[in-house]
Amino acid sequence: MTSWRRLVLHSFLLLGLVGVLVGCGEAGSAWTSYEGAVNEKGFPVPKVANKSDQSENNSDMDYVRYTLSGISESTSIPEVYLDEIKSWGWTEKQAKSTSNDSSSLRVFAKEGHTVHLAVHDGFFTVMVPKSEAAQTTVKSLDDDD
């Protein structure tokens, strides 16, 4: 009887370990396959990210919000994603400092185009300025103005 219980316990532990490994593998796969952003086709977005919101009515920015589990403002952008952005020809620029800036906001430029990338807990936003003034300053999407 003891060996039967031991077999069940080992099977349960093995099944749990496999579950954890599969979950970790899915999180890592978020950064292996990319497609162009909805509002800027030449800017990479992980294929597993889901578009959850888009605003074309904002006069300053065309933004698309993507949900992606495991991403957080405190850890910012994973290095593998930054490498992919650079491999698509984008270079990082210094964002003009405003009171709404945080370390999770990055600005990228390529061939006269600018993209602002903001990381939050569970989602990120790809913002494309519509005017020259919006390219140098970033307004928080949380403001009601």
Side-chain angles (χ1 to χ4, degrees), residues 1 4 19 24 26 30 36-38 43-44 48 55 65-67 79-80 84 91 116-117 119 122 126 128 131:
M1 201 56 126
W4 172 252
C24 291
E26 288 176 2
V38 171
F43 191 83
V48 297
S55 173
R65 182 176 296 161
Y66 292 91
T67 57
E79 196 65 36
V80 66
E84 187 69 21
T91 55
H116 299 254
L117 181 63
V119 176
V126 176
V128 178
S131 67

Side-chain angles (χ1 to χ4, degrees), residues 36-110:
V38 171
N39 53 345
E40 177 59 64
K41 298 294 183 199
F43 191 83
V45 169
K47 282 189 178 181
V48 297
N50 296 308
K51 183 182 103 169
S52 63
D53 189 21
Q54 181 174 9
S55 173
E56 296 175 358
N57 299 331
N58 185 313
S59 62
D60 292 331
M61 292 276 186
D62 178 10
Y63 74 86
V64 179
R65 182 176 296 161
Y66 292 91
T67 57
L68 182 63
S69 63
I71 197 167
S72 73
E73 191 170 347
S74 63
T75 58
S76 192
I77 302 170
E79 196 65 36
V80 66
Y81 187 25
L82 288 173
D83 291 343
E84 187 69 21
I85 292 168
K86 291 173 185 172
S87 78
W88 282 43
W90 294 88
T91 55
E92 188 165 5
K93 300 295 180 187
Q94 184 70 34
K96 184 176 179 180
S97 182
T98 69
S99 60
N100 296 325
D101 280 351
S102 72
S103 61
S104 64
L105 176 68
R106 309 287 275 272
V107 179
F108 299 91
K110 174 183 173 182

